[in-house]
Amino acid sequence: MDAIDRSILRELQADGRLTNQELAARVGLTPSPCLRRVRQLEEGGVIQSYRAVVDPAAVGRGFEVFASVEVRRDRESVESFEAQVRSTPDIVEAYRLYGAPGCLLRIAVNDSDAYERFWTEKLISLPGVSEVNSQMIMKRIKGPQGVPV
């Protein structure tokens, strides 16, 4: 990966809707080689996907919570827990961590009452869950910006 590839990645992380023409102009290439490089970055798995960033409040998901979750540490519990987490729409991000807690989830729901229902009806009943500690997000200071390249 050279400086032009890194420049392409920076530009696409800032605005994934750039046309190939716009992108080529910003990185100092003509459109054909620029498109070829983008395709190589996609095929190589460097660019994994393109998506819109949606305002959670605009779609009724403005109440966000980080939940630290302890899961029994046996293979079956962990695999079942992770499968359930992947299929639960209210959980918008999930990470398995080294040490304690075992997992960190970002959950987006409508309000505090919705989170209480989610916590009671789904979260504590996920396979292998032994403890949940919730932290409500007061204010997003910095959201996902992509990775520095």
Side-chain angles (χ1 to χ4, degrees):
M1 182 174 311
D2 64 13
I4 294 174
D5 288 336
R6 290 180 185 284
S7 183
I8 288 170
L9 294 173
R10 278 191 296 277
E11 294 295 335
L12 287 176
Q13 284 188 117
D15 184 357
R17 293 189 65 176
L18 288 173
T19 66
N20 184 56
Q21 300 275 42
E22 293 168 325
L23 179 61
R26 289 186 185 191
V27 300
L29 292 175
T30 58
S32 183
C34 182
L35 184 59
R36 189 170 33 257
R37 282 176 177 258
V38 170
R39 293 256 196 288
Q40 287 172 336
L41 291 166
E42 292 168 344
E43 291 166 5
V46 177
I47 297 174
Q48 296 178 346
S49 68
Y50 298 90
R51 61 185 59 158
V53 178
V54 176
D55 175 9
V59 294
R61 300 284 179 156
F63 190 80
E64 294 182 290
V65 176
F66 285 118
S68 303
V69 180
E70 278 298 340
V71 178
R72 283 191 308 273
R73 295 180 191 255
D74 62 84
R75 176 181 230 132
E76 185 177 329
S77 294
V78 170
E79 288 175 355
S80 296
F81 171 81
E82 289 181 2
Q84 283 291 116
V85 164
R86 280 191 292 276
S87 68
T88 304
D90 295 323
I91 301 171
V92 296
E93 287 183 80
Y95 302 91
R96 188 185 324 163
L97 307 174
Y98 288 105
C103 293
L104 181 64
L105 310 177
R106 184 168 67 95
I107 299 161
V109 293
N110 187 47
D111 56 24
S112 179
D113 291 338
Y115 181 67
E116 182 182 3
R117 280 191 307 279
F118 177 78
W119 188 92
T120 303
E121 296 170 9
K122 296 201 175 145
L123 190 55
I124 61 173
S125 65
L126 287 171
V129 169
S130 61
E131 185 178 334
V132 175
N133 184 11
S134 304
Q135 298 88 34
M136 281 53 134
I137 297 174
M138 180 186 305
K139 175 183 175 184
R140 183 183 306 259
I141 297 168
K142 182 177 180 180
Q145 303 292 309
V147 294
V149 289

